[in-house]
Amino acid sequence: MSATAQNNIKDLPLRDSEDAAHQGDPDAPGSPISVPDSGDHGEGGKLKMIVQLVKRSLGVKDLAAMRISLPASLLEPVPNLEYWGYLDRPDLFLAINDRDDPLERMLSALRFTFSKDLKFIKGKVCKAYNSVLGEHFRAYFDVPSNAIMYKSNESTEPLDFTWHLDENDGESSHLTSLTAPTIRVKSPSSASLSVKSIKDQPMLSDHHYAESSPNLQRPVSTHESSYAPSTIEAVDSSVPHSRVLFITEQVCHHPPISSFHFECAEKGVEGCGVDQIAARITGTTLKVGPGSQNKGIFLKITKGHGAGETYWITHPTACVNGILRGSFYATITESTTITCTGPSGEKLRAIIEYKDEPWLGAPRFLLEGVIYKYTEGSEQETWTKVKQVPRDLVVATFEGCWRKIITWKKVGSDVANPLIDLTPLALVPKQVRPLDEQLPNESRKLWEGVTSNLLKKEWSEATRVKQVIEQKQRDIAAERRKKNQPFVPVYFESDISSGAPNLTAEGKKVMEEMAKYSPANRTTDATTGV
C-alpha cells in the first residue's frame, strides 16, 4: 500500500450522520434532528421514539443529508455499507452473460434487477448504522456452477434454482413489526449444491450479525445451526465455482455518498455505481429515491457473448409505509429503466413501471414493463412509461408482482413465459474475513463495540460506544479542516461525476488479493488486511 493510502487510513476522518452530540459540523445542513432515548426499549417505547422522529422531520427536504441523532436501540446491528448492497443473489449476476441472444441477456438483466433488493422482500425494513467517511466493506461469494440450472436452451423455460432456497416459501406477510421474527432459510443437500458446513473454522463466519438481522441470515444447514460464529460454508473443491468480489467505500461526508464495485473476472461481468439517497417524509410515509450523484448501477460485460455491452439500471422511488403503526412495509413507485449500450447491432431497452398502490385495501406490488428496440442518442432513451413506446418497436412485454412471480411474452404471442419467481429464493450470505484480519476502518471492525452491545441488549453501553466513535470522527475531521487536508478515498477514484466510479490501484490490488484468498491458508498483510 502506498504511503498516501496508509495516511488516508491513519488520519481517517470518520463521520456518522447520526451525531449524538450537538457539536457543530460546518459541512452539515442545519442543526441535527435528535430523539432522546426514552428508556423504554420495548415495542411501545420504540414506536413512541419513531413518532417523535417523524414529527421533528416534517418539512425537511432531504433527511438523508441531515444529521439525525438516534438512540442505539433503534438501530439494526449491521453496518450500512454491508446492508446496502445489490448482490442479494450473486448467481443471477453471474447469469447475465450466459446466453448468446441479446433478448435473453436483457431478460437476465431484468432477473438481476428484480433480485437485487431481495432483502426488502425476505427481510425487514430497518435502520443500519450510517457509514463514516473512509469506512469500507469487502466481501465475496463462491457460487457453485450448478446454482442455476437451465432446463433447455429455450428462454421460455423457467430457471431451476438449487442454491440458498427459502424454507418459508409459502404465503408471507409484507409487514415488518418492530419485533419481527427472523426469517430462517435452508439450502439443499451438499450433494446438489456442492456446499457443506464445516465446524470450528471461523474464517468465513458472518459473525454475530446474522444472529439478529433477518436480512443477513446464514442458511440453516441440515447438520447444525448456522448461527454459531464458528460455522462456515465452504465450496466443495471437486465442483467448479465462480467467485464474485465486492467492495464499497464511503467517499463523501455531506451528503453521505459511497462508491461500490463488484465483479467476476472468470465470467467477464462486473458492476459499479454510486450510492446516495434522498429521503423525505410526506404525510406518514418516508419516500426514498436516488440522490443527485446516484446515476444507478452499471453492469458491464467484458468478454464472452455480450462483450462490450453495458446495462445501465436506474433506481425507482421506494416508500416506507406504516410508520405510525410500527408495522413497516415498502412499496415502489415510478419506474426503472435498463438501457443496453455497446457494440453495433440491435440495441434493447427495458422499462419497468411500478403500479400505484390503492388508497384503500392491501398493497398489490404490481408492475408492468416492456422491452423495445431503440436508437442511441434519440428521444427513445428518455421514455419512462410503457405507453410511450410505439407497438412497432416492442420486442417483449412483462408483468406481475415484484415480490413474487413475473412473467413475460414475446411480441405477437399470447403465451406467458416465466421470467422469475422470487418466492423460493433466499438471501445469499456474504463471506467476510474474520475481525482479526480486518483494518480499523472496515465496517464490522469499526462498529464491533456497538454491534456486540446491541446484540446483548446493552442499550446504554451501545449508545455510549457509538458516541465515542462519533466524537472521534468529529475530532479528526476538525483536525483535517485545521490543516486544510481534503479527504482522498483509498479504493476508489475521487471523480464520481459519471456515476460509474473507477477503482484506484489500491482498490484493484485488494480485489486481486480477495480473488486468491483462502481461509485454509490465510495470512494477513498488515497494510491491506488481506
Side-chain angles (χ1 to χ4, degrees), residues 135-210:
E135 176 185 345
H136 82 282
F137 176 77
R138 60 180 89 164
Y140 63 91
F141 308 83
D142 284 326
V143 184
S145 59
N146 57 356
I148 297 177
M149 305 294 289
Y150 297 96
K151 295 182 178 180
S152 72
N153 291 327
E154 295 295 325
S155 58
T156 56
E157 292 291 326
L159 302 183
D160 186 9
F161 292 93
T162 66
W163 192 52
H164 290 290
L165 303 180
D166 191 346
E167 67 180 8
N168 300 313
D169 57 1
E171 188 70 22
S172 61
S173 172
H174 60 274
L175 298 176
T176 295
S177 71
L178 291 173
T179 56
T182 57
I183 296 176
R184 296 176 179 267
V185 297
K186 66 180 180 180
S187 297
S189 67
S190 58
S192 62
L193 281 188
S194 306
V195 175
K196 59 184 178 181
S197 295
I198 299 178
K199 295 183 179 180
D200 303 323
Q201 296 187 42
M203 303 79 169
L204 301 182
S205 171
D206 276 313
H207 202 51
H208 41 229
Y209 298 93

Side-chain angles (χ1 to χ4, degrees), residues 11-14 23-24 467-482:
D11 299 327
L12 186 67
L14 302 179
Q23 298 190 16
Q467 291 175 354
V468 168
I469 295 174
E470 293 165 351
Q471 186 58 51
K472 180 180 179 181
Q473 296 160 21
R474 287 188 288 270
D475 292 344
I476 298 178
E479 184 66 20
R480 292 182 70 88
R481 286 193 297 270
K482 181 179 178 181

Side-chain angles (χ1 to χ4, degrees), residues 359-432:
W359 285 95
L360 298 176
R364 297 176 297 174
F365 311 109
L366 299 180
L367 62 82
E368 67 172 337
V370 62
I371 302 172
Y372 66 96
K373 297 176 288 186
Y374 82 98
T375 302
E376 288 189 77
S378 69
E379 179 190 3
Q380 299 165 353
E381 290 184 284
T382 66
W383 294 339
T384 58
K385 300 288 186 181
V386 171
K387 65 182 181 180
Q388 292 176 287
V389 182
R391 294 179 63 87
D392 62 329
L393 296 179
V394 175
V395 175
T397 60
F398 53 91
E399 63 181 358
C401 171
W402 57 264
R403 293 177 61 92
K404 295 183 179 179
I405 299 174
I406 302 168
T407 61
W408 72 282
K409 297 178 182 179
K410 285 185 177 180
V411 65
S413 173
D414 293 328
V415 179
N417 308 301
L419 178 62
I420 190 169
D421 181 1
L422 296 166
T423 309
L425 302 185
L427 296 174
V428 177
K430 302 174 179 67
Q431 298 189 18
V432 183

Side-chain angles (χ1 to χ4, degrees), residues 17-61:
S17 64
E18 301 162 2
D19 292 325
H22 293 186
Q23 298 190 16
D25 184 343
D27 298 324
S31 302
I33 299 173
S34 62
V35 177
D37 194 331
S38 67
D40 180 0
H41 301 126
E43 185 167 345
K46 291 181 179 180
L47 181 57
K48 289 179 182 178
M49 288 188 281
I50 290 174
V51 171
Q52 288 185 52
L53 176 63
V54 171
K55 288 181 178 179
R56 297 179 186 187
S57 302
L58 293 175
V60 177
K61 292 183 178 180

Side-chain angles (χ1 to χ4, degrees), residues 114-417:
F114 292 127
S115 73
K116 67 181 177 61
D117 294 317
L118 192 63
K119 66 177 72 63
F120 301 119
I121 299 174
K122 299 294 182 173
K124 65 180 181 179
V125 178
C126 67
K127 176 67 179 74
Y129 316 140
N130 277 7
S131 307
V132 302
L133 186 61
E135 176 185 345
H136 82 282
F137 176 77
R138 60 180 89 164
Y140 63 91
F141 308 83
D142 284 326
V143 184
S145 59
N146 57 356
I148 297 177
M149 305 294 289
Y150 297 96
K151 295 182 178 180
S152 72
N153 291 327
E154 295 295 325
S155 58
T156 56
E157 292 291 326
L159 302 183
D160 186 9
F161 292 93
T162 66
W163 192 52
H164 290 290
L165 303 180
D166 191 346
E167 67 180 8
N168 300 313
D169 57 1
E171 188 70 22
S172 61
S173 172
H174 60 274
L175 298 176
T176 295
S177 71
L178 291 173
T179 56
T182 57
I183 296 176
R184 296 176 179 267
V185 297
K186 66 180 180 180
S187 297
S189 67
S190 58
S192 62
L193 281 188
S194 306
V195 175
K196 59 184 178 181
S197 295
I198 299 178
K199 295 183 179 180
D200 303 323
Q201 296 187 42
M203 303 79 169
L204 301 182
S205 171
D206 276 313
H207 202 51
H208 41 229
Y209 298 93
E211 298 175 32
S212 79
S213 174
N215 300 301
L216 299 170
Q217 292 289 343
R218 293 187 56 80
V220 176
S221 166
T222 57
H223 303 288
E224 60 177 31
S225 170
S226 64
Y227 302 103
S230 61
T231 302
I232 68 168
E233 275 193 338
V235 174
D236 187 341
S237 59
S238 65
V239 175
H241 70 278
S242 300
R243 177 166 290 187
V244 178
L245 310 175
F246 172 69
I247 187 169
T248 180
E249 180 180 17
Q250 195 74 10
V251 298
C252 185
H253 185 173
H254 285 299
I257 299 175
S258 61
S259 294
F260 63 87
H261 178 94
F262 49 89
E263 67 177 49
C264 178
E266 175 191 345
K267 291 283 190 176
V269 288
E270 60 184 52
C272 66
V274 172
D275 262 335
Q276 179 197 5
I277 64 171
R280 60 190 174 91
I281 289 180
T282 58
T284 59
T285 299
L286 175 64
K287 276 196 165 185
V288 181
S292 60
Q293 298 296 323
N294 187 338
K295 306 295 193 301
I297 304 171
F298 296 84
L299 300 181
K300 302 176 183 179
I301 300 179
T302 59
K303 65 181 183 180
H305 302 304
E309 290 180 343
T310 295
Y311 292 83
W312 173 25
I313 306 169
T314 63
H315 294 296
T317 296
C319 298
V320 179
N321 309 274
I323 296 176
L324 297 184
R325 298 191 303 273
S327 296
F328 311 135
Y329 66 93
T331 57
I332 303 178
T333 64
E334 301 177 4
S335 62
T336 289
T337 60
I338 305 177
T339 305
C340 179
T341 62
S344 59
E346 184 176 84
K347 301 293 191 302
L348 296 179
R349 190 170 187 267
I351 297 174
I352 307 170
E353 187 175 341
Y354 297 94
K355 296 301 182 181
D356 292 336
E357 299 294 349
W359 285 95
L360 298 176
R364 297 176 297 174
F365 311 109
L366 299 180
L367 62 82
E368 67 172 337
V370 62
I371 302 172
Y372 66 96
K373 297 176 288 186
Y374 82 98
T375 302
E376 288 189 77
S378 69
E379 179 190 3
Q380 299 165 353
E381 290 184 284
T382 66
W383 294 339
T384 58
K385 300 288 186 181
V386 171
K387 65 182 181 180
Q388 292 176 287
V389 182
R391 294 179 63 87
D392 62 329
L393 296 179
V394 175
V395 175
T397 60
F398 53 91
E399 63 181 358
C401 171
W402 57 264
R403 293 177 61 92
K404 295 183 179 179
I405 299 174
I406 302 168
T407 61
W408 72 282
K409 297 178 182 179
K410 285 185 177 180
V411 65
S413 173
D414 293 328
V415 179
N417 308 301

